[in-house]
């Protein structure tokens, strides 16, 4: 069976080569981009491309673009005006290492570099344009940023489960959706494959965020690479606060089952993604 980890060497090499300058902001961009994230989103893009019959090498810039957007969101999310976290991926957060202004610009730099990188993919122009629009939409104010906006507005309020779910669908789910769908677009996938990828992404995104909520109360700083308990410290609404730890675990399991079920149209070719969904549900970081 195809191993999801097999994408990592080429992905790391691509990301390593993507930032070519050595000024302070470029250093900060490189620091965060190469800080050792799990690379879930680019792996999802490459695997969907592969199982839809696409050229994985040609999709590499597309996958890297999603990881750049993800890294920018983490840099900005850690800033004092957002979640104010000092540690990320087991290292000082970007603004702790390089100062606020450089971290702000490093995030902006990665956001723009994502679209520059995407534009270099050797794909038919109509696929590139479509990929560009989808990435912008999923990352933008009606997507990931919209989710962050809701998250900030919810702080200190007692919100219902529906509001929390909508926040998670946007904040976490939309970039995961972009990754899965962009893999399909890069491959020129059939509509039924793209539809299945969207269903998979919705369920995986929810499961991923719920496990993130669970780890914030059950893990430790060293394993997680960032301070645990930060959700409670900021009066955040999470699946754990709204549904209890047990309820959150059940919901994560249900969404993981839904993600696996969504892979049915891919038959045996979906096995790698099935295993990835199950391993993310059981992850410790
Ligand atoms: C644009 C400021 C801004 C924020 C957008 C994505 C996001 C919203 C904020 C980042 C913080 C956060 C908890 C997001 C939820 C998604 C999530 C669990 C991110 C962590 O992703 P992992 O676990 O990170 O894939 P690694 O470090 O492995 O890459």
């Amino acid at each position: 069976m195809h191993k999801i980890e097999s994408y990592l060497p080429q992905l790391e090499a691509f990301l390593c080569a993507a930032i070519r300058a050595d000024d302070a902001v470029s250093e900060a961009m490189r620091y965060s981009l190469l800080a050792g994230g799990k690379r879930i989103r680019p792996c999802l893009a490459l695997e969907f491309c592969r199982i839809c019959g696409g050229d994985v090498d040609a999709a590499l810039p597309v996958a890297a673009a999603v990881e750049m957007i993800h890294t920018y969101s983490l840099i900005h999310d850690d800033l004092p005006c957002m979640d104010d976290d000092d540690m990320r991926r087991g290292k000082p957060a970007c603004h702790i290492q390089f100062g606020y202004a450089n971290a702000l610009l490093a995030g902006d730099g990665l956001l723009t570099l994502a679209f520059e990188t995407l534009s270099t993919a050797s794909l038919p122009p109509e696929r590139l344009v479509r990929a560009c629009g989808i990435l912008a939409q999923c990352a933008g104010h009606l997507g990931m940023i919209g989710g962050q906006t809701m998250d900030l507005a919810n702080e200190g309020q007692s919100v219902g489960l529906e509001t929390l779910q909508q926040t998670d669908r946007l904040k976490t789910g939309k970039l995961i959706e972009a990754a899965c769908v962009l893999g399909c677009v890069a491959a020129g996938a059939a509509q039924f494959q793209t539809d299945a990828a969207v269903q998979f992404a919705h369920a995986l995104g929810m499961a991923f965020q719920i496990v993130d909520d669970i780890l914030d109360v059950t893990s430790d700083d060293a394993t997680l690479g960032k301070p645990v308990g930060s959700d409670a410290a900021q009066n955040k609404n999470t699946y754990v606060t709204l549904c209890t730890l047990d309820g959150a675990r059940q919901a994560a399991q249900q969404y993981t089952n839904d993600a696996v079920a969504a892979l049915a149209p891919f038959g045996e070719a979906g096995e790698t993604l099935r295993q990835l969904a199950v391993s993310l549900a059981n992850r410790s970081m």
Side-chain angles (χ1 to χ4, degrees), residues 177-244:
E177 178 185 327
C180 299
V181 173
L182 259 55
C184 297
V185 170
Q191 190 60 47
F192 82 90
Q193 294 175 312
T194 309
D195 291 345
V198 170
Q199 294 309 313
F200 172 80
H202 285 174
L204 187 78
M206 288 304 294
F208 194 80
Q209 182 56 54
I210 297 168
V211 172
D212 198 69
D213 292 349
I214 293 171
L215 292 175
D216 194 64
V217 295
T218 59
S219 190
D220 56 80
D221 295 9
T223 310
L224 214 51
K226 60 182 183 178
V228 294
S230 67
D231 291 338
Q234 289 170 73
N235 277 322
K236 287 225 170 181
N237 294 281
T238 73
Y239 251 82
V240 176
T241 60
L242 262 67
C243 304
T244 75

Side-chain angles (χ1 to χ4, degrees), residues 150-151 154 157-170 206 209-210 213 237-244 247-252 254-255:
M150 286 184 75
D151 203 35
N154 295 345
Q157 314 278 326
S158 90
V159 304
L161 189 57
E162 269 185 31
T163 303
L164 178 68
Q165 286 170 332
Q166 179 61 5
T167 306
D168 291 350
R169 258 183 225 123
L170 296 177
M206 288 304 294
Q209 182 56 54
I210 297 168
D213 292 349
N237 294 281
T238 73
Y239 251 82
V240 176
T241 60
L242 262 67
C243 304
T244 75
R249 285 188 171 128
Q250 281 170 27
Q254 183 57 54
Y255 278 116

Side-chain angles (χ1 to χ4, degrees), residues 38 41 70 72-73 76-77 89 148 172 208-209 212:
K38 294 185 285 297
R41 295 157 192 80
H70 168 59
Y72 121 74
S73 80
H76 282 191
D77 190 61
R89 296 167 167 172
Q148 181 76 351
T172 308
F208 194 80
Q209 182 56 54
D212 198 69

Side-chain angles (χ1 to χ4, degrees), residues 11-256:
L11 201 51
E12 292 302 323
F14 188 95
L15 292 172
C16 229
I19 300 164
R20 295 171 300 273
D22 288 318
D23 56 279
V25 170
S26 303
E27 278 298 328
M29 289 164 71
R30 189 176 298 112
Y31 173 84
S32 291
L33 189 61
L34 305 178
K38 294 185 285 297
R39 310 302 195 205
I40 304 301
R41 295 157 192 80
C43 285
L44 284 169
L46 295 176
E47 182 60 8
F48 269 103
C49 177
R50 188 187 74 82
I51 66 173
C52 294
D55 175 351
V56 168
D57 289 339
L60 211 47
V62 179
V66 180
E67 186 67 6
M68 287 171 186
I69 301 253
H70 168 59
T71 307
Y72 121 74
S73 80
L74 298 181
I75 294 173
H76 282 191
D77 190 61
D78 290 339
L79 288 171
C81 60
M82 300 267 171
D83 273 8
D84 195 9
D85 281 323
D86 287 357
M87 295 293 287
R88 169 69 64 180
R89 296 167 167 172
K91 294 164 69 172
C94 191
H95 65 278
I96 300 294
Q97 191 74 11
F98 295 94
Y100 301 142
N102 285 332
L104 186 73
L105 291 173
D108 294 341
L110 284 166
L111 169 59
T112 39
L113 182 62
F115 288 96
E116 182 189 335
T117 303
L118 180 59
S119 77
T120 66
S122 298
L123 292 171
E126 64 278 10
R127 288 189 202 167
L128 268 190
V129 171
R130 205 169 144 227
C132 189
I134 291 168
L135 187 56
Q137 215 169 38
C138 287
H141 72 118
L142 300 179
M144 180 182 74
I145 290 181
Q148 181 76 351
T149 308
M150 286 184 75
D151 203 35
L152 291 174
N154 295 345
E155 258 175 44
Q157 314 278 326
S158 90
V159 304
L161 189 57
E162 269 185 31
T163 303
L164 178 68
Q165 286 170 332
Q166 179 61 5
T167 306
D168 291 350
R169 258 183 225 123
L170 296 177
K171 182 180 79 164
T172 308
K174 276 292 169 181
L175 199 59
I176 290 179
E177 178 185 327
C180 299
V181 173
L182 259 55
C184 297
V185 170
Q191 190 60 47
F192 82 90
Q193 294 175 312
T194 309
D195 291 345
V198 170
Q199 294 309 313
F200 172 80
H202 285 174
L204 187 78
M206 288 304 294
F208 194 80
Q209 182 56 54
I210 297 168
V211 172
D212 198 69
D213 292 349
I214 293 171
L215 292 175
D216 194 64
V217 295
T218 59
S219 190
D220 56 80
D221 295 9
T223 310
L224 214 51
K226 60 182 183 178
V228 294
S230 67
D231 291 338
Q234 289 170 73
N235 277 322
K236 287 225 170 181
N237 294 281
T238 73
Y239 251 82
V240 176
T241 60
L242 262 67
C243 304
T244 75
L245 192 52
D246 263 359
R249 285 188 171 128
Q250 281 170 27
Q253 189 55 57
Q254 183 57 54
Y255 278 116
T256 301

Side-chain angles (χ1 to χ4, degrees), residues 4-5 40 256 273-284:
I4 204 84
E5 306 78 45
I40 304 301
T256 301
L273 288 168
R274 192 190 71 75
Q275 288 196 7
L276 179 64
V278 171
S279 73
L280 287 176
N282 298 312
R283 75 188 196 273
S284 59

